[in-house]
Amino acid sequence: MTILVCGEALVDLVPVHEGPLLSPKLGGGPFNVAVAIGRLGSPVAYLSRISRDPFGEQILASLRDAGVDTTWVQRGDEPTTLAMTTLADDGSAEYSFYADGTADRLVADPGDLPDEISVLSFGTLSLLYEPGASMYAGLLHRARAAGKLTMLDPNIRPAAIDSTSGDITADGFRDRFRSWLPSIDILKVSEDDSHWLGLGTQGTTVDDWLASGVTAVVMTRGGDGISVFTAPAEASGTGIVTAEEISVPGVAVDVVDTIGAGDTVHGALLSFLQKESIITSNAVKEMSKQDWQEALDFAAKAAAITVSRPGADPPWASEASRD
């Protein structure tokens, strides 16, 4: 069974040490997720529209080098999306984007998916920029209705939302996010993203997301580790859900930068679930506390490797032990 990762690939322009130079690094949340899954040895395919420019050729080659099936990749003459990255002293990253008229936002609907595609992953700019955003949303809803496992990371980029030239406002994006919830099995968010989306700041709780149809909410907390919130029980006839929290600590490591850390968590979790044959909503619902602890531990270790080196450089299977 194959995981299909859906969304953009782009080029990050990353500062070189403390100088004025910028180094181009391949990236984009979905691209990083696909590479992580492929490097970890799970069957993965990638759905996007990739430019025919030199950056696009590098993106395609990098996907194939990681073992990613590019059969679902569409090509276009439009340029590759660029992201300007600024690094803080703690290694955290902020972004500005150059995405007008770029290839990935023009992705076309792939049509019906074969049975071999059992899991679909969505995230980041592909959920924001039209017309691709509406296509991906429709694919998300169709996939969940067809019984396929879905995972989504909104990976909020406020600078991108502010620069979409009227495509959508911040409040409009929050409304769009709520419309996805009934079709998401695993929702992955960072603490910062959860607050931006209203969790704990606008009266929204994790219980509300679970009650909307999400099977599990995975929250990354930087160096403090990863938590998952699940709904083990629902009061009959009330629609009230009480979440159960399972957490693992972060892995101590010298942080170079945090680019790709959350994407590595996303990819590592999907790789773990695929290898354990946990590829349906019911299978995720039936995961025990020990199952989740093993999955989160694996994801935390994989992410620690990524942040220990510059750029989004997820580990290979030989580097990421489950022991």
Side-chain angles (χ1 to χ4, degrees):
M1 293 295 185
T2 298
I3 302 165
L4 181 65
V5 179
C6 309
E8 82 283 350
L10 51 76
V11 170
D12 283 318
L13 300 176
V14 182
V16 178
H17 302 295
E18 296 181 359
L21 299 179
L22 296 172
S23 175
K25 303 289 186 182
L26 305 185
F31 169 85
N32 295 336
V33 171
V35 168
I37 295 170
R39 289 184 175 185
L40 291 171
S42 290
V44 58
Y46 188 60
L47 169 63
S48 187
R49 181 179 173 92
I50 293 177
S51 175
R52 293 190 180 92
D53 67 14
F55 284 142
E57 295 300 327
Q58 292 178 38
I59 288 168
L60 203 62
S62 183
L63 288 166
R64 290 170 175 161
D65 287 347
V68 180
D69 179 358
T70 58
T71 303
W72 295 86
V73 168
Q74 304 165 20
R75 305 301 301 275
D77 294 327
E78 308 83 14
T80 298
T81 299
L82 300 179
M84 186 79 73
T85 306
T86 303
L87 298 177
D89 291 340
D90 63 357
S92 61
E94 294 186 0
Y95 304 88
S96 56
F97 297 94
Y98 300 86
D100 287 347
T102 51
D104 48 57
R105 65 191 301 170
L106 299 177
V107 62
D109 193 316
D112 294 336
L113 300 177
D115 291 342
E116 70 184 52
I117 301 294
S118 56
V119 181
L120 283 87
S121 163
F122 300 86
T124 322
L125 297 183
S126 61
L127 305 173
L128 173 63
Y129 290 127
E130 296 291 2
S134 292
M135 189 286 289
Y136 284 124
L139 183 60
L140 169 70
H141 295 313
R142 294 202 322 262
R144 179 68 180 273
K148 300 180 186 293
L149 185 71
T150 60
M151 183 168 177
L152 184 144
D153 179 1
N155 212 357
I156 302 301
R157 297 288 182 253
I161 293 175
D162 291 342
S163 64
T164 53
S165 304
D167 273 3
I168 194 168
T169 64
D171 286 342
F173 187 85
R174 293 183 182 103
D175 289 340
R176 179 183 289 180
F177 168 76
R178 286 189 287 270
S179 76
W180 301 329
L181 294 175
S183 295
I184 300 172
D185 284 305
I186 303 174
L187 173 63
K188 183 265 168 194
V189 290
S190 69
E191 277 191 303
D192 287 345
D193 287 351
S194 71
H195 295 156
W196 191 93
L197 290 165
L199 194 70
T201 61
Q202 298 177 17
T204 301
T205 67
V206 170
D207 292 349
D208 294 328
W209 288 350
L210 295 172
S212 295
V214 177
T215 304
V217 177
V218 173
M219 185 177 296
T220 55
R221 305 182 186 278
D224 292 330
I226 311 172
S227 298
V228 64
F229 300 86
T230 60
E234 182 173 344
S236 178
T238 68
I240 299 173
V241 174
T242 302
E244 178 178 287
E245 180 178 354
I246 303 165
S247 298
V248 301
V251 177
V253 67
D254 291 332
V255 176
V256 175
D257 66 51
T258 62
I259 299 172
D263 303 326
T264 300
V265 169
H266 189 148
L269 280 175
L270 286 181
S271 178
F272 180 96
L273 296 178
Q274 187 276 328
K275 290 178 180 178
E276 295 296 319
S277 298
I278 302 172
I279 54 173
T280 65
S281 296
N282 285 337
V284 172
K285 290 176 183 176
E286 292 171 359
M287 288 177 68
S288 66
K289 181 177 181 179
Q290 181 177 345
D291 291 336
W292 273 116
Q293 287 176 328
E294 291 178 1
L296 298 182
D297 275 333
F298 178 65
K301 291 174 182 176
I305 295 171
T306 298
V307 302
S308 71
R309 49 203 192 193
D313 187 5
W316 296 83
S318 59
E319 300 175 288
S321 170
R322 289 178 54 178
D323 297 331

